[in-house]
Amino acid sequence: MRNFVAGGLSAAAALLAGASAQAAQPAEWEMNFQPAATDIMHQITWFEHYTLWFIVPITLLVLFLLAYCIIKFRASVNPVASRTSHNTLIEVIWTVGPVLVLLFMAVPSFQLLTAQYSPPEEAKLTVKATANQWNWDYEYQTEDLLSFNSAVLTDADRAGLGKEDTGVYPRLLAVDNEMVVPVNTMVRVLVTASDVIHAFAMPAFGLKTDAVPGRTNETWFKVEKEGIYYGQCSELCGKDHAYMPIAIRVVSQAQYDTWFAAAKADLPGANKALMAEIGSSNKVAVAGK
């Protein structure tokens, strides 16, 4: 019995470690948003729950009124139709009621919109994301410029890149080279495109910005926890639109500094070293519970 319990605890710990490694990605039959990884996404999640307190009662009320009218005023019960043309009280209610509802929804909506366009602090890192059909170019706007391409991970490349675990690197979402950023750091993203209109979207960050040729749009995020986060191009951009994922790996500041220093000379080697360090850290976490 003890062995069974110990085995169960170990499996649970491994599952938690794996979950922290893969972070947020789409799940089957998912009805809610992905777990929030930024303050903006927490606000979006709150606003969604808040609006449901209005949407659900209104939907049920309309359904009740429709059913009531269908049953009470059916032809078999009322062979002579009512000639009522208006009712002042009802007209006041259905005018004032929606105005109040819209007011209660508009105020937090404008507050959220303002927060999305008002970073609370200056960015410590700027990355330019250029969309192509059908991949992304990332340029780190630092003194020592680092740039690389990020494309969907093919099955043939999994073994060579050490990304055979489809739980952490899911099909059609994983990429060959992730954008790497430090945790709890304000990151500015300059979004543009080289050909047609795309969109840079990361659900766990509450982030979606159009990538328009000839124009640079600016967005930002500050991630609260480490892990890999997956998004996709969210603007129809051609035949391979569904094969244009976005992957952002969030690591500690020390891990980021080490990766960045190595990536300038050897990006594949830096990625493998970072993955090995993260893997060893997860094993230590599981062993130590």
Side-chain angles (χ1 to χ4, degrees):
M1 183 65 179
R2 288 183 178 178
N3 292 337
F4 177 78
V5 173
L9 291 175
S10 298
L15 180 62
L16 290 175
S20 64
Q22 69 182 23
Q25 59 179 274
E28 292 185 4
W29 297 100
E30 191 170 45
M31 297 181 62
N32 299 315
F33 292 133
Q34 292 183 21
T38 65
D39 179 65
I40 287 296
M41 190 59 201
H42 282 298
Q43 295 183 50
I44 293 174
T45 302
W46 175 88
F47 183 68
E48 186 253 351
H49 293 162
Y50 174 78
T51 55
L52 287 178
W53 286 101
F54 297 94
I55 294 172
V56 173
I58 291 173
T59 302
L60 294 177
L61 174 62
V62 172
L63 180 63
F64 168 77
L65 292 176
L66 284 173
Y68 177 82
C69 292
I70 291 172
I71 295 173
K72 182 174 179 59
F73 300 106
R74 63 189 188 275
S76 60
V77 177
N78 296 275
V80 179
S82 172
R83 294 183 177 275
T84 302
S85 61
H86 69 280
N87 183 292
T88 302
L89 177 60
I90 291 178
E91 291 184 6
V92 170
I93 291 175
W94 73 32
T95 300
V96 175
V99 168
L100 292 176
V101 170
L102 291 175
L103 180 63
F104 277 102
M105 294 180 67
V107 172
S109 174
F110 289 144
Q111 291 174 336
L112 175 58
L113 186 63
T114 301
Q116 288 178 308
Y117 285 94
S118 305
E121 60 186 89
E122 287 294 323
K124 297 180 180 178
L125 174 65
T126 299
V127 181
K128 183 178 180 182
T130 303
N132 315 295
Q133 290 179 311
W134 289 270
N135 51 68
W136 296 88
D137 288 328
Y138 296 127
E139 296 180 14
Y140 285 68
Q141 308 294 300
T142 57
E143 292 183 2
D144 299 321
L145 186 65
L146 171 64
S147 62
F148 56 86
N149 182 264
S150 178
V152 64
L153 180 66
T154 64
D155 292 337
D157 292 335
R158 283 185 177 274
L161 296 176
K163 298 180 177 180
E164 297 172 292
D165 186 350
T166 56
V168 179
Y169 304 102
R171 182 176 178 271
L172 301 184
L173 285 177
V175 300
D176 51 2
N177 300 307
E178 298 90 4
M179 179 197 296
V180 180
V181 299
V183 70
N184 293 319
T185 299
M186 181 64 67
V187 180
R188 178 192 292 117
V189 184
L190 305 177
V191 183
T192 187
S194 63
D195 38 42
V196 300
I197 298 178
H198 302 267
F200 188 88
M202 185 59 61
F205 298 178
L207 183 65
K208 183 178 180 182
T209 303
D210 283 344
V212 183
R215 178 184 300 175
T216 300
N217 291 327
E218 181 177 322
T219 188
W220 59 274
F221 60 82
K222 184 176 181 180
V223 189
E224 300 172 343
K225 52 187 177 181
E226 299 176 26
I228 302 181
Y229 298 86
Y230 292 106
Q232 293 174 294
C233 173
S234 297
E235 187 73 36
L236 188 60
C237 57
K239 70 180 184 64
D240 285 341
H241 166 67
Y243 305 96
M244 192 175 170
I246 302 166
I248 300 179
R249 188 189 292 274
V250 182
V251 298
S252 67
Q253 184 65 53
Q255 290 173 331
Y256 170 78
D257 292 338
T258 301
W259 171 84
F260 187 83
K264 290 181 292 183
D266 180 14
L267 179 64
N271 288 339
K272 288 185 178 180
L274 180 60
M275 291 166 56
E277 183 177 357
I278 293 173
S280 62
S281 299
N282 286 338
K283 291 179 181 178
V284 171
V286 172
K289 299 181 182 179

